[in-house]
Amino acid sequence: MTSEHEPAITDPAAFWEHRYSSRGQVWSGNPNAALEREVRGLPPGTALELGSGEGADAVWLARQGWSVTAVDISPSALALGASTASEAGVADRITWVQADLVEWEPSASFDLVTATFLHSPVEFPREAVLRRAASAVAPGGTLLIVGHAGPPPWATEHIAHAHFPTPDEVHASLELEETEWEVVTAGLVARAAIGPDGEPAELDDSVLVLRRRP
């Protein structure tokens, strides 16, 4: 999500590259809590992460034994992810792909496909990208989609009036064949967070986990 201090950049590639190249590390460097919780019990295999950002989730997955393809539009974010992976000793388990998810097509199927906080303040066809993500899940594989359930207390007016879909709305938008999938998790999960000025808050995440039947 953007803030009131972000420049008015409307081109997605330029926006995200500015976000990651104009400051130090943007995110905490810790993996997403929902990813840890939902994936920890799965047998490691191949994983695809859409919108990998600075790579914390990809590195965590690699540490658990997954072979990861991490895709992001920002070269600066991917460079930081690759550096982190090297420091963690898992560089050989992650393939970093610089691409626009609006146009990028996966060339293989994966045992796990993840998309965490795949929101954008600039134009982005999220539903179409998530439908493509679902098509990349191998039989017996898992799809994990985590999103914001609502704006944080420090949200700007633009963000505060954005629509944040529920897990059920996300599920419906995927337009899946019901007989091919089963719901593992669909709900809101509270998460502790720290605001831009250091203020603590509790946010709700929208978590949807689907398993593709073998």
Side-chain angles (χ1 to χ4, degrees):
M1 288 297 174
T2 189
S3 75
E4 60 186 351
H5 304 296
E6 293 287 354
I9 301 174
T10 58
D11 175 70
F15 177 90
W16 290 109
E17 180 58 12
H18 180 273
R19 167 71 69 90
Y20 287 112
S21 65
S22 63
R23 62 184 77 178
Q25 184 170 321
V26 175
W27 309 116
S28 69
N30 299 319
N32 182 270
L35 177 80
E36 290 188 273
R37 183 179 59 253
E38 300 292 344
V39 173
R40 192 176 293 279
L42 298 177
T46 57
L48 170 64
E49 185 190 2
L50 302 180
S52 58
E54 295 168 329
D57 286 358
V59 170
W60 183 84
L61 285 167
R63 280 175 161 165
Q64 311 310 307
W66 293 83
S67 296
V68 186
T69 298
V71 186
D72 200 274
I73 198 171
S74 167
S76 293
L78 292 169
L80 180 56
S83 176
T84 303
S86 181
E87 292 174 2
V90 294
D92 61 332
R93 302 198 66 87
I94 306 175
T95 299
W96 304 95
V97 178
Q98 192 272 315
D100 185 344
L101 292 176
V102 177
E103 303 171 350
W104 185 75
E105 295 273 357
S107 59
S109 57
F110 298 84
D111 301 309
L112 172 68
V113 177
T114 73
T116 57
F117 301 121
L118 199 62
H119 304 279
S120 178
V122 291
E123 185 175 356
F124 180 68
R126 184 173 186 262
E127 292 182 353
V129 171
L130 292 178
R131 281 194 288 271
R132 194 180 306 138
S135 70
V137 178
T142 299
L143 174 65
L144 167 64
I145 300 173
V146 182
H148 297 296
W154 53 82
T156 63
E157 182 177 354
H158 171 72
I159 298 174
H161 289 85
H163 174 65
F164 297 91
T166 67
D168 288 342
E169 287 174 329
V170 174
H171 190 186
S173 74
L174 296 175
E175 301 177 351
L176 300 173
E177 178 59 54
E178 292 186 10
T179 59
E180 294 183 9
W181 297 81
E182 60 180 313
V183 178
V184 178
T185 302
L188 303 184
V189 180
R191 168 176 57 89
I194 302 295
D197 296 321
E199 65 273 37
E202 185 175 272
L203 307 180
D204 285 332
D205 292 339
S206 166
V207 181
L208 178 65
V209 182
L210 303 174
R211 179 176 176 270
R212 191 168 199 163
R213 293 187 170 93

